[in-house]
Amino acid sequence: MPSCSAKCGRNAILKRPKTSDVLCKECFFEAFENEVHFTITRAKLFTPNTTVAIAASGGKDSTVLAYVLKLLNEKYDYRLKLLLLSIDEGITGYRDDSLDTVKQNRDDYEMSLKILSYKDLYGWTMDEIVAEIGRKNNCTFCGVFRRQALDRGANLLKVDYLATGHNADDIAETVLMNILRGDLARLSRCTSIITDSGDGIPRVKPLKYCYEKEIVMYAYFRKLVYFSTECVFAPNAYRGHARVLLKDLEKIDPTVIMNIIHSGETMKVSETSKMPKLTNCTRCGYVSSQEICKACVLLEGLNKGLPRLGIGKSSKVKRLLKENEEKNKSSGICRGEEDKTCLCSGTDSMKPVKINELVLKELRI
Amino acid sequence: MKITIQFGGGVHLLFGNIKLHEIDLPDREKHWTIGDLLLWMTDNLLQERPELFLQDKSVRPGILVIVNDTDWELLGCADYVIQPKDTIGFISTLHGG
Ligand SMILES: [Zn+2]
Ligand SMILES: [Zn+2]
């Protein structure tokens, strides 16, 4: 067995993907924590005497994030008030285990925990939405609502920062996806370590440069308890393909992860290219490429008893709204796959939905 | 040869939902490598979707293998020769959170 690259005399227990160093357990903990500290201080992520909500799902990334932030906050006296923020989608049975894990985090790390439900944030639970819309299209709601839930929650709690557990593999994957989709607006935003969703509460990613392998190894050797959901095993569209491609490349050469992030960071969109302009939703203020964001369109549909409003492309929805009953032959595809942990991912939901039939049926009141 | 197999990060879902398996590998002339074990597991333990566990005679990228609390990348990966009473863990990194 090789000995630790740090020359501490102990046996190595893992090979670091980022540097190929082989480290013992103690030197690995130190290297991992120091790197997160370095990321935080170099990017000046936090100012002292502020409140940071940690987006907590009970999964590996948010569990490691909560553990390391608590440790660094004490070790380096960041003077941050840390709290856990969890979202309950209101799907019977689904969140029970992961919320139990988050409650365990709360007790282990002595942080307060706020669980906000879709009911708190949107006035509807996913169960109620499924009852309205049926199983086939709930992916759309789930994905769109999920993406905004943490922002809305942070806003509701009036915290100063929202910290998420996005790791290096996640970010490299998002860069790839935005390239595959040609989504230049998101491509230039997705590598930022600090982003603003329109409400003035910065979203920060302290684990941005941490490899997924190291996060899992860190949790394993620190014996942190986390929850793994099954849904990621469901192969879904781009997210799934981009993930598989990335993991295959990483196996050949782990530095591709950092290279892709670096490419994303330094890529500049030419000034002459046509960029979809991102503005803020006129209803809720969330960053959006449309006047009214997707969540607000979906909510409007639910609240007006037209739940299928907003499934499909927004331009088409607008037209449908205006022209009301004009028959057109467009089709929309569930966009739930945009969220890597979409709860209702499944092959059914990927089938194209004929929007003209669905919407027209709903509009005939 | 008696060894212990552990699953983490959701891999147990492919193995009948059981996280810990005490197994007894059949005696034979040739030694057992992890590569051999993977095939044995596929035939004897795996319940569903083998493509989510195996790829090109190794584990699918994104599944970490830990032998007696050591990264298998330090031990020769699939060529590691299994010893009696080894504990071999398979942990998926492919989960959200
Ligand atoms: Zn060491
Ligand atoms: Zn809105």
Side-chain angles (χ1 to χ4, degrees), chain A residues 202-219:
Chain A
R203 289 189 75 150
V204 299
K205 306 183 188 101
L207 304 183
K208 181 189 168 185
Y209 296 111
C210 299
Y211 273 61
E212 196 156 53
K213 173 182 172 181
E214 296 201 0
I215 289 174
V216 172
M217 287 291 199
Y218 187 85

Side-chain angles (χ1 to χ4, degrees), chain A residues 90-146:
Chain A
I91 299 176
T92 308
Y94 178 79
R95 275 287 161 200
D96 300 353
D97 292 341
S98 56
L99 286 178
D100 281 350
T101 312
V102 177
K103 286 171 191 162
Q104 189 69 46
N105 291 162
R106 171 197 64 195
D107 299 341
D108 292 347
Y109 310 150
E110 297 165 312
M111 291 177 196
S112 62
L113 163 65
K114 184 75 188 166
I115 299 174
L116 292 173
S117 66
Y118 271 18
K119 194 88 178 168
D120 297 328
L121 298 168
Y122 301 110
W124 293 77
T125 69
M126 269 314 289
D127 279 350
E128 287 168 352
I129 293 171
V130 171
E132 281 291 308
I133 187 124
R135 278 234 161 261
K136 267 202 171 159
N137 293 309
N138 54 353
C139 248
T140 306
F141 286 87
C142 184
V144 171
F145 283 4
R146 172 96 62 107

Side-chain angles (χ1 to χ4, degrees), chain A residues 1-2 12-15 22 57 59-63 212-213 216-217 220-221 226 228-230 232-233 243-244 247-248 251 340-341, chain B residues 6 8-11 13-14 48-49 52 55 58-62 64-66 69-71 73-75 91-97:
Chain A
M1 206 177 297
I13 48 97
L14 94 167
K15 183 172 167 191
V22 299
S57 64
K60 62 181 191 325
D61 300 305
S62 62
T63 298
E212 196 156 53
K213 173 182 172 181
V216 172
M217 287 291 199
Y220 178 83
F221 287 114
Y226 65 88
S228 340
T229 50
E230 184 175 22
V232 191
F233 273 133
R243 194 59 149 198
V244 170
K247 286 290 165 196
D248 285 345
K251 197 179 177 188
K340 67 164 179 169
T341 53
Chain B
Q6 282 178 332
V11 181
L13 296 165
L14 304 174
E48 54 186 294
R49 294 173 287 176
L52 295 182
Q55 186 177 317
S58 185
V59 288
R60 183 182 178 218
L64 305 179
V65 185
I66 298 174
D69 275 357
T70 301
D71 185 359
E73 290 189 44
L74 299 180
L75 303 169
I91 307 178
S92 176
T93 65
L94 301 171
H95 281 287

Side-chain angles (χ1 to χ4, degrees), chain A residues 167-230:
Chain A
N167 61 46
D169 296 58
D170 292 334
I171 292 168
E173 184 186 325
T174 308
V175 170
L176 267 185
M177 280 207 329
N178 286 330
I179 290 172
L180 294 176
R181 289 202 175 112
D183 191 336
L184 300 178
R186 285 198 173 76
L187 178 61
S188 55
R189 279 166 48 91
C190 71
T191 54
S192 307
I193 192 163
I194 306 176
T195 51
D196 179 3
S197 294
D199 52 10
I201 300 173
R203 289 189 75 150
V204 299
K205 306 183 188 101
L207 304 183
K208 181 189 168 185
Y209 296 111
C210 299
Y211 273 61
E212 196 156 53
K213 173 182 172 181
E214 296 201 0
I215 289 174
V216 172
M217 287 291 199
Y218 187 85
Y220 178 83
F221 287 114
R222 281 270 188 218
K223 298 187 167 51
L224 307 182
V225 177
Y226 65 88
F227 177 76
S228 340
T229 50
E230 184 175 22

Side-chain angles (χ1 to χ4, degrees), chain A residues 141-356:
Chain A
F141 286 87
C142 184
V144 171
F145 283 4
R146 172 96 62 107
R147 233 167 298 144
Q148 278 196 21
L150 288 166
D151 293 288
R152 289 190 177 212
N155 207 352
L156 214 65
L157 298 180
K158 301 263 171 287
V159 294
D160 301 301
Y161 298 94
L162 174 63
T164 58
H166 293 96
N167 61 46
D169 296 58
D170 292 334
I171 292 168
E173 184 186 325
T174 308
V175 170
L176 267 185
M177 280 207 329
N178 286 330
I179 290 172
L180 294 176
R181 289 202 175 112
D183 191 336
L184 300 178
R186 285 198 173 76
L187 178 61
S188 55
R189 279 166 48 91
C190 71
T191 54
S192 307
I193 192 163
I194 306 176
T195 51
D196 179 3
S197 294
D199 52 10
I201 300 173
R203 289 189 75 150
V204 299
K205 306 183 188 101
L207 304 183
K208 181 189 168 185
Y209 296 111
C210 299
Y211 273 61
E212 196 156 53
K213 173 182 172 181
E214 296 201 0
I215 289 174
V216 172
M217 287 291 199
Y218 187 85
Y220 178 83
F221 287 114
R222 281 270 188 218
K223 298 187 167 51
L224 307 182
V225 177
Y226 65 88
F227 177 76
S228 340
T229 50
E230 184 175 22
C231 60
V232 191
F233 273 133
N236 44 14
Y238 274 156
R239 252 314 161 189
H241 293 311
R243 194 59 149 198
V244 170
L245 173 64
L246 203 66
K247 286 290 165 196
D248 285 345
L249 292 171
E250 196 179 353
K251 197 179 177 188
I252 300 165
D253 179 4
T255 54
V256 293
I257 301 286
M258 279 303 152
N259 294 344
I260 290 171
I261 295 177
H262 185 64
S263 303
E265 284 171 344
T266 44
M267 226 181 283
K268 278 228 166 65
V269 177
S270 129
E271 281 170 23
T272 53
S273 64
K274 218 176 118 207
M275 288 270 281
K277 255 179 75 186
L278 291 179
T279 61
N280 295 335
C281 170
T282 51
R283 298 253 170 107
C284 70
Y286 187 77
V287 68
S288 167
S289 54
Q290 305 290 330
E291 199 177 313
I292 299 176
C293 77
K294 189 95 175 176
C296 286
V297 171
L298 291 173
L299 273 178
E300 167 118 354
L302 281 171
N303 293 333
K304 288 200 170 154
L306 305 169
R308 285 177 176 88
L309 200 67
I311 297 169
K313 291 202 168 165
S314 48
S315 55
K316 286 172 187 161
V317 170
K318 259 192 207 159
R319 199 166 73 228
L320 278 163
L321 267 174
K322 275 185 193 152
E323 299 167 2
N324 222 357
E325 284 201 299
E326 196 210 333
K327 292 185 180 177
N328 64 53
K329 290 204 166 98
S330 56
S331 70
I333 284 181
C334 168
R335 308 279 292 181
E337 81 277 7
E338 281 176 15
D339 191 305
K340 67 164 179 169
T341 53
C342 184
L343 301 183
C344 31
S345 52
T347 43
D348 261 0
S349 55
M350 296 310 301
K351 285 180 191 148
V353 178
K354 283 207 182 110
I355 198 166
N356 53 332

Side-chain angles (χ1 to χ4, degrees), chain A residues 27-47:
Chain A
C27 293
F28 168 58
F29 289 158
E30 202 181 315
F32 185 89
E33 290 153 9
N34 281 347
E35 282 175 13
V36 178
H37 174 59
F38 181 71
T39 302
I40 289 172
T41 48
R42 193 184 49 176
K44 299 192 177 69
L45 278 196
F46 305 115
T47 47

